[in-house]
Amino acid sequence: EVILFGDTYNEAAAKAKEYVEDHKLTYIHPFDDIYTMAGQATIADEIILSGQGPVDYAFLQIGGGGMAGAGAPMVKKKNPQIK
């Protein structure tokens, strides 16, 4: 079941935290979590390893910063010349 709540991230996050507390569940932050970021880094890894390269530029989305924070180091590690 998908529950949509609020008009902003902060409203939705507060409701999600309330929900997990009420139901004794674990809250997993969508971007500020080392394991979430590790998973996001695999997206960059898959792109680099896809064999579709060479990749000269990487454009990463910026929301909470998790995808960019995890993806940028991964693409730099695999291709130090990438911009």
Side-chain angles (χ1 to χ4, degrees), residues 29-42:
H29 200 282
F31 54 84
D32 191 15
D33 178 88
I34 192 70
Y35 296 110
T36 301
M37 290 176 69
Q40 292 167 330
T42 65

Side-chain angles (χ1 to χ4, degrees), residues 9 12-14 16-21 24-40:
Y9 169 79
K17 290 174 186 174
E18 177 184 314
Y19 181 89
V20 299
E21 212 163 287
K24 296 182 179 21
L25 301 170
T26 301
Y27 180 78
I28 300 173
H29 200 282
F31 54 84
D32 191 15
D33 178 88
I34 192 70
Y35 296 110
T36 301
M37 290 176 69
Q40 292 167 330

Side-chain angles (χ1 to χ4, degrees), residues 30-60:
F31 54 84
D32 191 15
D33 178 88
I34 192 70
Y35 296 110
T36 301
M37 290 176 69
Q40 292 167 330
T42 65
I43 296 169
D45 194 37
E46 289 177 22
I47 292 169
I48 297 297
L49 296 175
S50 71
Q52 301 298 313
V55 177
D56 298 320
Y57 294 89
F59 297 91
L60 303 167

